[in-house]
Amino acid sequence: MVLPTAEEEWGQRASAFLKAEMKKADVTYADLVKRLTKHGLKDETEAGITMKLKRGSFTAIFFLACVAALELEQVVLEEI
């Protein structure tokens, strides 16, 4: 298993993973805002999510809430 070696690489790969999962599920940024609200992240906006995913910089809480919002049953590190 080849894992990222730097924080920035982890962020970029996690961001790419979330974008790919959103595309697979046909979930827009607006849809994700609504889904995250249901998971307790009430202050997220389309613009905020766009910037987080573009920067590849977000909290573990945001990542896990996205995983829940996208209804992913598991995350395989090799896929990130």
Side-chain angles (χ1 to χ4, degrees):
M1 169 170 46
V2 179
L3 295 176
T5 57
E7 185 175 341
E8 183 177 330
E9 185 180 357
W10 273 109
Q12 290 303 319
R13 288 175 65 169
S15 178
F17 172 80
L18 289 176
K19 290 178 194 178
E21 292 300 324
M22 287 174 66
K23 188 172 184 172
K24 283 183 202 174
D26 197 29
V27 172
T28 66
Y29 289 104
D31 296 333
L32 187 58
V33 168
K34 291 175 189 171
R35 290 177 179 215
L36 288 172
T37 298
K38 292 178 184 177
H39 289 279
L41 276 72
K42 297 178 180 164
D43 295 328
E44 293 297 337
T45 64
E46 287 182 61
I49 292 170
T50 300
M51 288 309 298
K52 286 178 184 181
L53 295 180
K54 184 176 182 178
R55 285 190 319 258
S57 177
F58 40 82
T59 65
I61 292 166
F62 176 80
F63 180 81
L64 293 172
C66 287
V67 168
L70 293 169
E71 300 176 354
L72 302 177
E73 292 188 16
Q74 64 180 355
V75 174
V76 179
L77 288 178
E78 288 91 356
E79 294 177 4
I80 295 179

